[in-house]
């Protein structure tokens, strides 16, 4: 046993690593594969589908372009139609204006013709009165018919609305009788005034230069007073030819004069009457008798 020498024990020597960073395998794996497999597959699919996504973008852009072109086309067509219709509308407007002007001119000519004819009729009536019978009878007939201008002594009567006419009546009797304003002079008031003057002896009467005849009418149109369809504005100046002082006294004592005085006392209607030495009353615009005819024989015409 002693004669055989013992071999020394064999010690295993560890293998040396082939890389210096072999011990950091986890870190190396993370660095070498920074993307997860899912991310890598998604990136691969996106790359593969890149060529297929291009047509969708092109179609979207093409649709937008087509929409813009259609919008521009609609605007262009609308503008063209507006330009086309504008001259037509302007032409129709000019034609309408021309028609209005022509009709207005024609109406003015007709009014002038009516005035000329009225003057001619009045002149013929005056000549007929002068040629028929004696001069005294003709003068009286002309005066009474209103065919000629007259002058002489008489009275001047001014009737005006009350100072507070625009304020209304607030339940006064004239308001309940149909008067929209208690302080306003009405057609019925002027009717009573004129009738009272005739009854008191007036030979010729006018209101604001409008001669009154047996055919005259005093009416109302809203708040305006019409004499033979001509509107008058206050104050209303009534001229009456006659025996001045006697005419004034008789009128003021008549029922119509007392009625006018009551309007003054109760409703503020302003009145004044004065005796004049010489008053001029114009002739009536026209005296047209449509029905009556002169009698040639007793009981016949």
């Amino acid at each position: 046993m002693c004669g055989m020498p013992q071999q020394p024990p064999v010690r295993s020597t560890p293998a040396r690593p082939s890389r210096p960073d072999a011990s950091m395998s986890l870190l190396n794996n993370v660095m070498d594969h920074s993307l997860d497999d899912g991310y890598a597959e998604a990136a691969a699919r996106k790359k593969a589908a890149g060529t297929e996504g291009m047509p969708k973008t092109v179609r979207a852009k093409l649709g937008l372009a087509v929409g813009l072109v259609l919008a521009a086309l609609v605007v262009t067509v609308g503008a063209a139609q507006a330009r086309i219709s504008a001259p037509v509308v302007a032409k129709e407007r000019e034609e309408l204006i021309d028609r209005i002007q022509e009709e207005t001119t024609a109406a003015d000519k007709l009014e002038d013709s009516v005035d000329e004819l009225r003057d001619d009729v009045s002149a013929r009536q005056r000549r007929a009165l002068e040629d028929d019978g004696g001069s005294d009878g003709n003068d009286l007939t002309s005066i009474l018919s209103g065919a000629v201008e007259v002058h002489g002594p008489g009275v001047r009567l001014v009737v005006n609305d009350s100072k507070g006419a625009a304020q209304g009546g607030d339940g006064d009797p004239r308001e309940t009788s149909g008067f929209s304003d208690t302080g306003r002079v009405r057609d019925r008031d002027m009717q009573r005034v004129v009738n009272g003057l005739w009854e008191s002896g007036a030979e010729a009467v006018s209101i604001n230069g409008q001669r009154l005849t047996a055919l005259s009418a005093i009416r109302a149109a809203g708040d305006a007073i019409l004499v033979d369809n001509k509107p008058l504005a206050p104050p209303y100046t009534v001229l009456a030819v006659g025996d001045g002082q006697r005419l004034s006294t008789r009128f003021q004592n008549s029922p119509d004069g007392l009625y006018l005085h009551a309007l003054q006392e109760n409703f503020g209607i302003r009145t004044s009457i004065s005796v004049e030495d010489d008053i001029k009353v114009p002739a009536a615009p026209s005296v047209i008798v449509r029905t009556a005819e002169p009698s040639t024989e007793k009981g016949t015409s």
Side-chain angles (χ1 to χ4, degrees), residues 4-10:
M4 295 183 67
Q6 295 181 353
Q7 294 181 355
V10 178

Side-chain angles (χ1 to χ4, degrees), residues 27 103 108 253-254 258:
L27 180 61
E103 296 297 332
D108 293 339
N253 293 331
S254 68
L258 296 176

Side-chain angles (χ1 to χ4, degrees), residues 56-139:
K56 295 182 179 179
T57 304
V58 172
R59 285 197 299 270
K61 292 182 179 180
L62 182 59
L64 179 60
V66 171
L68 293 176
V69 170
L70 290 177
L73 181 61
V74 171
V75 174
T76 303
V77 171
Q81 290 179 349
R83 286 194 299 268
I84 293 173
S85 61
V88 177
V89 175
K91 184 178 180 180
E92 292 178 352
R93 181 175 179 273
E94 291 177 357
E95 291 178 353
L96 181 59
I97 292 175
D98 293 339
R99 288 181 58 187
I100 292 174
Q101 292 177 349
E102 291 175 359
E103 296 297 332
T104 302
T105 302
D108 293 339
K109 291 181 179 180
L110 290 176
E111 289 182 359
D112 295 339
S113 177
V114 169
D115 293 337
E116 293 177 0
L117 292 174
R118 184 180 291 114
D119 295 339
D120 182 64
V121 169
S122 298
R124 290 175 182 271
Q125 288 174 341
R126 285 191 290 270
R127 287 196 298 268
L129 291 173
E130 292 174 358
D131 296 338
D132 186 14
S135 59
D136 293 339
N138 289 333
D139 291 342

Side-chain angles (χ1 to χ4, degrees), residues 144 155 194 196-205 239-243 247 250:
L144 296 178
V155 298
V194 171
L197 288 172
W198 286 121
E199 186 177 1
S200 299
E203 299 173 3
V205 180
L239 301 180
V241 175
D243 187 348
L247 178 60
R250 290 186 63 181

